[in-house]
Amino acid sequence: MRIIKIFDTTLRDGEQSPGASMNVEEKVQVARQLARLGVDIIEAGFAISSPGDFEAIKTIGAEVEGPIICSLARAKEEDIKRAWEAVKDAPKKRIHTFHSTSDIHLKYQFRISREEAMKRSVEMVRLARSFVEDVEFSPMDASRTDINYLCEVIEAVIDAGASTVNIPDTVGYGIPVEFGALIKAIHDRVKNIDKAVISVHCHNDLGLAVANSLSAALNGAGQVECTINGIGERAGNCSLEEVVMALRIRRDVFNADTNIKTEEIMRSSKLVTKITGISVQPNKAIVGANAFAHESGIHQDGLLKEKCTYEIIKPETVGLYKTKLVLGKHSGRHAFKTRLDELGYKLSDEELNIAFDRFKKLADQKKDIFDEDIEALISEEVEKIPEAYSLADLNIVTGMSQKPTATIKIKVGKDIIEKTEQGDGPVDAAYKAIASITNTKSTLLKFEVKSITGGTDALGEVMVSLEEGGRFVRGHGADTDIIVAAAKAYINALNKLATRKK
Ligand code: KIV
Ligand code: ZN
């Protein structure tokens, strides 16, 4: 069976989603999960775009084993050199360079001729090839480029050494039948196409990114570029989980599959949601909260008789397990560490001790502890954010007939500072007290609360976004008490701001 390569660009195009920017540690965390998921290539960033992107690519190249690590570069000498500096130490590396080819872009944006665009593309592919064997070229806005010119550019860049030619539907303009025909035309007309892999990179402006990518796969594409949860510029990119599951479930149609370990899909989706703060809609295919929920009586009746009546994907196939009990009050340190290893987390002895203490406290409050609880519990250890502030105590007095009042104690260095504030609700009161202790000038942009598992004793998880002086950070907190979770999330975000300021 033909294997279609999965090129994940969550850390590059995905990061271009408004508000989705990630810091180096967050990118490394996502990259580790992408490696576990089995993607073939990770586009780890755009090296020249910022020192943070450069460092993230370099660190991912040094620390994440398995996939090819790639940096994006415009067709410019300084970009390509910077991309090379970022990827050069990775065991498997790629430079992805691009130049627009559509007349619309050449005339209005670059103000150059087709000949000039072709010359720059070829020269920069050659330059990239002087550093690394694995070079990808993208003729940007390919789906709105004159087909004859597009084929000429593709032939020339393959001659110059590109081993992957990526056909971007940059503005999400393509329609499946037409986009598939474009890929077939390239396949049939470009003389040296057998020396390169045809890749596709589809945006979702018309909601067709996955359909266009699948149509391309039917017409000779050997690589699909996509992102977890479909995040990306504007309406996003082709969603990895959707394209992978369509190929897997309908192998009979595509006669192709991918190397993806689908059982890791759910975890990848949740991690990206948590890190970017971008939630998926409940009815999103594969990873939405309702994707496996059957509401109608007729459907439930069918399912009880035989699953295949209304279920085309087993939830376990994408890593969705029915509230699997993992640990409880009597579980020991060894069981806890074993489960962390199985989940892929490596903590130092000191971090493990702290996490185990927290686990024991949680087990006193909550009878059954699930994987999701453990992941929430250890997220602070995984993030490794230095703690300028830590929550020492919190007391709330609230009710329908009294003004909510919060008394908060926060450890700042060696001191414990206490403040009492009133607010419109308990969270408002707690946040006022925290703001007053920490003297923060930040603005709260987003506050979201959700329950991690079912039941009234579930851990509540709070996610906040803060902004101060052009710096944006996200904070998380989890606790069986949602006011405590809210306070932890705010403090976590303030710690990140403090680290960024340094
Ligand atoms: O959408 C696009 O055209 C891109 C290119 C850089 C591949 O993201
Ligand atoms: Zn793109």
Side-chain angles (χ1 to χ4, degrees):
M1 181 147 313
R2 198 161 71 95
I3 290 292
I4 300 211
K5 291 185 195 174
I6 294 296
F7 176 114
D8 182 278
T9 183
T10 307
L11 299 176
R12 199 277 298 169
D13 215 324
E15 208 207 11
Q16 288 172 219
S17 310
S21 67
M22 299 172 235
N23 62 33
V24 175
E25 294 76 30
E26 289 169 336
K27 283 193 162 194
V28 174
Q29 219 184 316
V30 172
R32 283 192 207 288
Q33 179 56 29
L34 291 173
R36 242 181 262 142
L37 178 65
V39 308
D40 300 282
I41 303 109
I42 296 177
E43 187 163 55
F46 189 174
I48 203 158
S49 69
S50 72
D53 249 34
F54 180 84
E55 194 190 329
I57 302 167
K58 231 180 160 36
T59 316
I60 291 168
E63 294 186 10
V64 177
E65 279 171 36
I68 295 171
I69 306 303
C70 171
S71 170
L72 186 67
R74 287 168 300 182
K76 289 183 170 203
E77 202 173 316
E78 61 272 29
D79 278 43
I80 291 181
K81 288 186 173 157
R82 192 78 177 140
W84 169 242
E85 283 302 313
V87 297
K88 70 177 183 201
D89 298 325
K92 294 194 256 169
K93 46 205 159 253
R94 171 178 297 185
I95 294 177
H96 173 196
T97 185
F98 68 101
H99 199 297
S100 289
T101 49
S102 69
D103 287 339
I104 299 177
H105 282 204
L106 297 186
K107 181 171 170 201
Y108 297 111
Q109 189 180 7
F110 295 93
R111 300 200 172 109
I112 58 169
S113 64
R114 287 184 179 182
E115 291 68 34
E116 180 58 24
M118 162 94 89
K119 184 167 159 277
R120 289 185 193 178
S121 304
V122 167
E123 278 173 6
M124 290 307 117
V125 166
R126 264 200 209 111
L127 177 67
R129 260 312 290 268
S130 70
F131 294 121
V132 64
E133 272 193 21
D134 189 343
V135 173
E136 171 169 331
F137 177 77
S138 293
M140 190 153 83
D141 205 17
S143 53
R144 294 193 298 169
T145 298
D146 172 72
I147 176 78
N148 295 323
Y149 174 61
L150 182 65
C151 287
E152 280 169 33
V153 173
I154 293 173
E155 191 178 328
V157 294
I158 295 176
D159 272 345
S163 45
T164 304
V165 280
N166 178 43
I167 309 304
D169 183 21
T170 304
V171 290
Y173 181 72
I175 299 291
V177 62
E178 174 201 61
F179 194 67
L182 172 65
I183 301 306
K184 184 166 179 338
I186 292 168
H187 198 265
D188 293 345
R189 287 167 56 171
V190 176
K191 280 203 246 45
N192 52 4
I193 198 69
D194 57 312
K195 297 199 175 65
V197 172
I198 302 180
S199 167
V200 288
H201 175 110
C202 297
H203 278 271
N204 206 29
D205 300 66
L206 294 174
L208 293 170
V210 173
N212 283 332
S213 306
L214 291 171
S215 176
L218 281 173
N219 284 282
Q223 173 177 294
V224 170
E225 303 201 353
C226 43
T227 59
I228 302 289
N229 298 340
I231 62 170
E233 188 81 33
R234 304 182 311 280
N237 287 62
C238 169
S239 136
L240 180 147
E241 55 281 1
E242 292 179 24
V243 80
V244 162
M245 289 314 294
L247 289 167
R248 177 73 44 95
I249 297 294
R250 299 307 311 270
R251 271 177 294 202
D252 57 326
V253 173
F254 295 102
N255 197 23
D257 202 348
T258 68
N259 289 322
I260 294 296
K261 294 179 198 74
T262 59
E263 296 74 17
E264 291 290 335
I265 283 179
M266 216 63 206
R267 191 131 68 98
S268 310
S269 165
K270 284 191 176 155
L271 180 68
V272 169
T273 294
K274 184 171 164 202
I275 286 185
T276 60
I278 301 176
S279 308
V280 296
Q281 77 215 46
N283 60 323
K284 161 113 173 51
I286 318 296
V287 293
N290 296 345
F292 295 93
H294 299 269
E295 191 65 27
S296 127
I298 298 173
H299 289 203
Q300 288 173 352
D301 173 62
L303 275 169
L304 287 171
K305 290 175 178 146
E306 170 53 56
K307 287 262 192 319
C308 70
T309 49
Y310 291 95
E311 197 173 82
I312 61 160
I313 305 171
K314 289 200 185 87
E316 311 85 83
T317 314
V318 296
L320 186 66
Y321 301 100
K322 273 248 152 48
T323 46
K324 202 173 107 197
L325 174 64
V326 246
L327 298 171
K329 193 173 173 159
H330 302 292
S331 310
R333 206 183 130 87
H334 183 71
F336 181 64
K337 182 172 182 321
T338 307
R339 191 63 201 144
L340 283 180
D341 286 344
E342 285 164 2
L343 289 171
Y345 294 105
K346 304 258 169 291
L347 300 191
S348 68
D349 285 348
E350 197 194 331
E351 288 163 349
L352 184 68
N353 287 341
I354 301 171
F356 185 63
D357 275 355
R358 261 198 238 139
F359 161 73
K360 278 292 179 188
K361 277 189 201 127
L362 180 65
D364 272 340
Q365 294 166 335
K366 189 174 186 293
K367 202 164 122 265
D368 303 329
I369 310 250
F370 304 100
D371 284 346
E372 292 90 334
D373 296 319
I374 295 182
E375 291 186 324
L377 202 81
I378 61 154
S379 65
E380 284 161 42
E381 273 60 49
V382 174
E383 281 182 342
K384 295 188 176 50
I385 302 295
E387 289 199 323
Y389 313 108
S390 64
L391 183 65
D393 202 6
L394 175 154
N395 267 294
I396 300 286
V397 181
T398 190
M400 287 167 73
S401 54
Q402 54 187 312
K403 188 100 177 139
T405 307
T407 302
I408 304 260
K409 287 185 191 166
I410 292 184
K411 193 162 176 260
V412 187
K414 290 200 176 76
D415 304 324
I416 302 269
I417 306 180
E418 180 176 329
K419 278 270 155 81
T420 299
E421 293 283 349
Q422 292 193 323
D424 290 337
V427 173
D428 188 43
Y431 275 34
K432 281 185 177 146
I434 295 170
S436 149
I437 295 172
T438 57
N439 277 322
T440 180
K441 306 271 176 301
S442 61
T443 311
L444 180 68
L445 301 178
K446 194 166 167 186
F447 177 91
E448 247 177 50
V449 57
K450 64 176 191 221
S451 115
I452 291 182
T453 50
T456 49
D457 68 348
L459 273 185
E461 188 180 44
V462 173
M463 196 281 296
V464 296
S465 301
L466 302 184
E467 187 271 338
E468 187 185 328
R471 295 187 180 92
F472 294 84
V473 290
R474 278 178 291 274
H476 296 268
D479 201 278
T480 46
D481 180 327
I482 55 165
I483 313 295
V484 176
K488 284 183 176 171
Y490 192 21
I491 292 171
N492 178 243
L494 291 172
N495 281 329
K496 287 184 183 169
L497 268 181
T499 310
R500 291 267 185 99
K501 279 189 206 159
K502 274 190 205 151

